[in-house]
């Protein structure tokens, strides 16, 4: 018997299958009933919705039915009929049931509904079978697909940058070292320091914190590229918005200026959010009901609003004004400060009440590669700030002038030896260009309404946790 996925049964026209025998397979969500009949809600992951299997107890072995409990995996042959009950269009009258796998009710942890997110993280191998994580995983897939579609439609090339690298793009020193040296007894040079000549790559290497530098090599050859891959940061920040392993999308475009860059950032996020509204309606409705009552409203409002462009200096003025009027912040506000998330959220959620793209930051708080403005103080960096999330995108126009870039590298004491290939882009056929990085899980936080970044990726990596 050919298996039919539950999504197909519930969303497509299946008139022609009514009163025929079909097969479905899946995991039992609930079983209830009375002396004569059992109702099994079956889910196969293709959709958040369950198909109802109606079992006439007289036709089935009592022992088999006893072993079909929440979490068990079964295959059902049965007649597809229009449902008499409320809540579903069609249901299946079981004719034959095969029990693939039991789930002992005494030990299977997903019995009742309403487990805490903290508890579900402890059973990360099974939480995927809950409605919430099913919805999140399906939306995650859709967002990844939307991202590829967005860039492909606009003539960008998907460009693969290395995960193992010898350069620290963001210069924040938050890299996970990659080595095959024996850590108990590493080879040493005469001065006592570790001899990395003997390491696998003949030098010190680490997992990438960003594919941008190699992305710039791609953009200055192919015109427009994007990366989409795993990114690693050994920052010890235990917050609901940081992961040690996350996914980043990094487009890089030749001949883009600041206005082109911010326009692309805005268009890109709106495209992804609209995609979710158009393609993930069932899952979003579920999350809207169970997780965040304002979710769909918020998503729609972002798609329909113009994002604010806000120079950093103007942002500081607004924050200082707020402080003068009695608004309390934990961290001080002054020109030159790296804004804390409470400041960013004030601007977005209280002052403008819409997404803000902040531009023209003090050069001291931004990375070495950002294009320097003529004022000598600011650079053409852009952060896209979102309600609930704070920073969702970080990007900039790049400094294409060799001498200015060198000056910035020297100011920051960045070791030149490792940068020669990057500098060659400015030495040979340099061009104005720009790019940004979107934290995929930050986008997922926004689109799902989940509060913690650990709950929008199947297997989160954070300080002291690398289970599963
Ligand atoms: O602002 P960031 O550090 O910028 C860069 O890495 C640039 N090289 C990007 C570029 O211009 N190509 O990081 C970009 C985004 C942040 O805005 C945030 O959304 C996300 O990456 N991000 C993280 N997401 C989860 N966990 C972390 N630890 C993150 N660190 C950054
Ligand atoms: Mg940033």
């Amino acid at each position: 018997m050919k298996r039919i996925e539950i999504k197909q049964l519930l969303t497509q026209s299946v008139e022609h299958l009514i009163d025929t025998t079909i097969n479905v397979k899946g995991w039992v969500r609930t079983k209830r009933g009375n002396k004569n009949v059992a109702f099994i809600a079956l889910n196969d992951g293709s959709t958040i919705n369950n198909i109802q299997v109606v079992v006439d107890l007289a036709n089935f072995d009592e022992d088999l039915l006893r072993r079909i409990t929440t979490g068990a995996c079964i295959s059902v042959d049965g007649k597809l009929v229009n449902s008499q009950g409320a809540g579903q269009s069609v249901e299946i009258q079981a004719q034959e049931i095969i029990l693939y796998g039991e789930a002992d009710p005494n030990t299977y942890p997903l019995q009742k509904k309403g487990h805490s997110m903290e508890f579900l993280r402890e059973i990360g191998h099974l939480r995927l079978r809950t409605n919430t994580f099913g919805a999140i995983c399906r939306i995650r897939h859709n967002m990844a697909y939307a991202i590829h579609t967005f860039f492909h439609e606009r003539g960008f090339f998907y460009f693969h940058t290395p995960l193992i690298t010898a350069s620290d793009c963001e210069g924040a020193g938050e890299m996970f070292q990659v080595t095959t040296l024996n850590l108990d007894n590493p080879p040493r040079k005469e001065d006592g320091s570790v001899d990395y000549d003997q390491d696998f790559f003949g030098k010190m290497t680490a997992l990438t914190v960003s594919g941008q530098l190699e992305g710039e090599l791609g953009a200055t050859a192919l015109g427009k590229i994007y990366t989409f891959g795993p990114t690693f940061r050994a920052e010890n920040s235990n917050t609901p918005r940081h992961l040690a392993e996350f996914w980043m999308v990094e487009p890089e475009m030749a001949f883009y200026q600041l206005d082109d860059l911010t326009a692309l950032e805005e268009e890109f996020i709106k495209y992804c959010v609209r995609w979710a509204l158009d393609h993930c309606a069932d899952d979003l409705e579920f999350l809207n009901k169970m997780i965040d009552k304002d979710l769909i409203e918020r998503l729609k409002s972002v798609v329909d609003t113009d994002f604010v462009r806000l120079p950093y200096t103007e942002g500081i003025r607004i924050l200082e004004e707020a402080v003068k009027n009695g608004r309390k912040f934990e961290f001080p506000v002054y020109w030159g400060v790296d804004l804390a998330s409470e400041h960013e959220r004030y601007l977005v959620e209280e002052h403008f009440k819409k997404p803000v793209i902040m531009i023209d930051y003090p050069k001291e708080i931004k990375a070495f590669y950002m294009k320097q403005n003529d004022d000598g103080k600011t650079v053409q960096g852009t952060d896209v700030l979102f309600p609930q999330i704070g920073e969702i995108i970080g990007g900039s126009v790049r400094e294409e002038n060799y001498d200015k870039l060198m000056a910035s590298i020297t100011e920051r004491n960045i070791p030149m030896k490792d940068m020669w290939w990057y500098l060659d882009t400015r030495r040979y056929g340099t061009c104005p260009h720009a790019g940004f990085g979107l934290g995929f899980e930050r986008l997922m936080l926004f689109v799902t309404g989940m509060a913690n970044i650990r709950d929008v990726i199947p297997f989160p990596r954070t300080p002291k946790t690398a289970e599963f």
Side-chain angles (χ1 to χ4, degrees):
M1 182 98 24
K2 191 167 165 357
R3 173 182 167 224
I4 300 185
E5 289 192 4
I6 293 170
K7 179 176 180 179
Q8 196 184 335
L9 286 178
L10 298 180
T11 60
Q12 295 181 5
S13 163
V14 287
E15 273 309 307
H16 60 291
L17 293 175
I18 294 290
D19 290 334
T20 69
T21 300
I22 60 159
N23 172 268
V24 290
K25 301 181 199 300
W27 293 269
V28 174
R29 283 288 205 262
T30 56
K31 188 178 84 177
R32 59 189 178 81
N34 54 39
K35 289 203 306 297
N36 306 318
V37 59
F39 299 102
I40 297 171
L42 196 67
N43 188 281
D44 67 3
S46 61
T47 160
I48 190 135
N49 298 306
N50 306 323
I51 188 102
Q52 172 154 287
V53 177
V54 185
V55 186
D56 185 349
L57 299 189
N59 300 337
F60 287 87
D61 177 46
E62 205 178 306
D63 182 56
L64 174 76
L65 285 176
R66 208 170 26 76
R67 288 155 61 209
I68 297 177
T69 54
T70 294
C73 185
I74 59 174
S75 171
V76 181
D77 288 349
K79 193 159 84 167
L80 188 71
V81 296
N82 287 310
S83 175
Q84 290 94 12
Q88 64 267 329
S89 52
V90 291
E91 61 190 26
I92 294 172
Q93 288 172 350
Q95 291 162 346
E96 195 186 336
I97 301 179
I98 298 169
L99 177 58
Y100 285 141
E102 296 176 49
D104 182 352
N106 296 312
T107 55
Y108 185 61
L110 292 172
Q111 291 303 330
K112 55 178 175 36
K113 291 177 187 162
H115 295 293
S116 74
M117 290 299 156
E118 287 77 12
F119 171 73
L120 290 175
R121 269 173 232 149
E122 289 167 19
I123 52 162
H125 58 310
L126 295 173
R127 72 174 180 172
L128 303 170
R129 297 190 198 173
T130 62
N131 284 331
T132 303
F133 285 90
I136 285 162
C137 289
R138 282 183 295 270
I139 294 173
R140 213 181 140 96
H141 162 80
N142 270 278
M143 288 298 89
Y145 192 68
I147 286 163
H148 285 298
T149 309
F150 176 86
F151 288 117
H152 179 74
E153 281 174 351
R154 284 157 186 75
F156 286 67
F157 299 109
Y158 183 25
F159 186 69
H160 295 111
T161 52
L163 297 191
I164 301 175
T165 171
S167 55
D168 182 355
C169 170
E170 291 306 299
E174 291 164 338
M175 303 184 86
F176 287 101
Q177 203 179 325
V178 173
T179 181
T180 52
L181 294 180
N182 176 1
L183 291 182
D184 290 328
N185 184 21
R188 294 192 184 275
K189 296 198 238 181
E190 267 168 23
D191 65 3
S193 64
V194 173
D195 184 5
Y196 284 105
D197 292 347
Q198 295 188 43
D199 203 350
F200 189 90
F201 295 104
K203 59 163 90 171
M204 197 168 159
T205 53
L207 296 177
T208 186
V209 295
S210 161
Q212 178 196 322
L213 301 188
E214 293 90 350
E216 287 185 51
L217 306 182
T220 52
L222 297 160
K224 295 192 304 251
I225 62 94
Y226 70 103
T227 72
F228 184 9
T231 309
F232 307 88
R233 295 202 183 171
E235 51 190 334
N236 202 359
S237 17
N238 251 310
T239 81
R241 282 185 290 278
H242 288 87
L243 290 166
E245 175 181 305
F246 62 101
W247 286 64
M248 187 152 41
V249 184
E250 297 188 272
E252 191 73 32
M253 299 75 62
F255 314 120
Y256 269 49
Q257 298 181 336
L258 187 61
D259 288 349
D260 308 316
L261 176 67
T262 56
L264 186 75
E265 291 171 343
E266 178 167 354
E267 187 191 1
F268 173 55
I269 299 191
K270 285 179 168 171
Y271 183 93
C272 293
V273 173
R274 196 177 300 116
W275 186 287
L277 288 166
D278 289 348
H279 295 86
C280 308
D282 287 353
D283 289 321
L284 287 180
E285 270 159 34
F286 173 82
L287 294 172
N288 197 79
K289 195 167 76 193
M290 305 302 289
I291 303 286
D292 180 348
K293 301 265 176 288
D294 303 321
L295 175 63
I296 293 179
E297 247 344 279
R298 198 161 55 242
L299 297 184
K300 285 185 177 157
S301 88
V302 158
V303 167
D304 292 334
T305 349
D306 292 333
F307 297 5
V308 176
R309 308 290 189 275
L310 179 70
Y312 170 92
T313 302
E314 174 64 9
I316 292 292
R317 201 195 55 73
I318 294 169
L319 287 164
E320 281 174 342
E321 182 91 11
V323 170
K324 224 185 324 167
N325 292 330
R327 181 67 162 80
K328 294 265 179 294
F329 294 110
E330 190 183 339
F331 297 101
V333 177
Y334 55 91
W335 198 95
V337 74
D338 198 359
L339 293 180
S341 106
E342 56 171 346
H343 304 137
E344 298 174 341
R345 292 184 64 171
Y346 172 82
L347 292 169
V348 173
E349 291 166 25
E350 295 178 48
H351 187 83
F352 289 106
K353 300 195 168 59
K354 52 167 116 170
V356 170
I357 307 185
M358 192 171 262
I359 55 175
D360 295 333
Y361 283 83
K363 64 176 185 200
E364 285 77 15
I365 58 171
K366 288 293 184 189
F368 73 93
Y369 50 72
M370 295 195 182
K371 185 174 175 67
Q372 297 155 35
N373 281 319
D374 292 338
D375 62 11
K377 291 194 301 196
T378 60
V379 290
Q380 295 186 9
T382 70
D383 276 8
V384 181
L385 310 176
F386 252 51
Q388 316 269 324
I389 315 292
E391 177 188 339
I392 191 165
I393 278 181
S396 79
V397 180
R398 316 306 187 190
E399 181 54 70
E400 85 269 21
N401 179 283
Y402 181 87
D403 295 328
K404 288 189 185 167
L405 185 64
M406 275 306 293
S408 161
I409 287 175
T410 314
E411 245 171 55
R412 289 171 167 80
N413 284 321
I414 299 172
M416 290 302 307
K417 180 164 81 45
D418 299 330
M419 283 287 159
W420 65 271
W421 49 272
Y422 184 71
L423 291 172
D424 267 4
T425 55
R426 275 57 169 179
R427 222 190 319 247
Y428 305 118
T430 191
C431 71
H433 62 290
F436 67 81
L438 166 105
F440 186 56
E441 285 74 20
R442 302 258 175 108
L443 174 70
M444 281 295 300
L445 278 177
F446 183 72
V447 169
T448 60
M450 297 295 286
N452 195 310
I453 201 162
R454 292 165 178 77
D455 300 328
V456 294
I457 185 167
F459 306 106
R461 296 289 176 257
T462 52
K464 302 276 179 288
T465 20
E467 195 71 49
F468 312 113

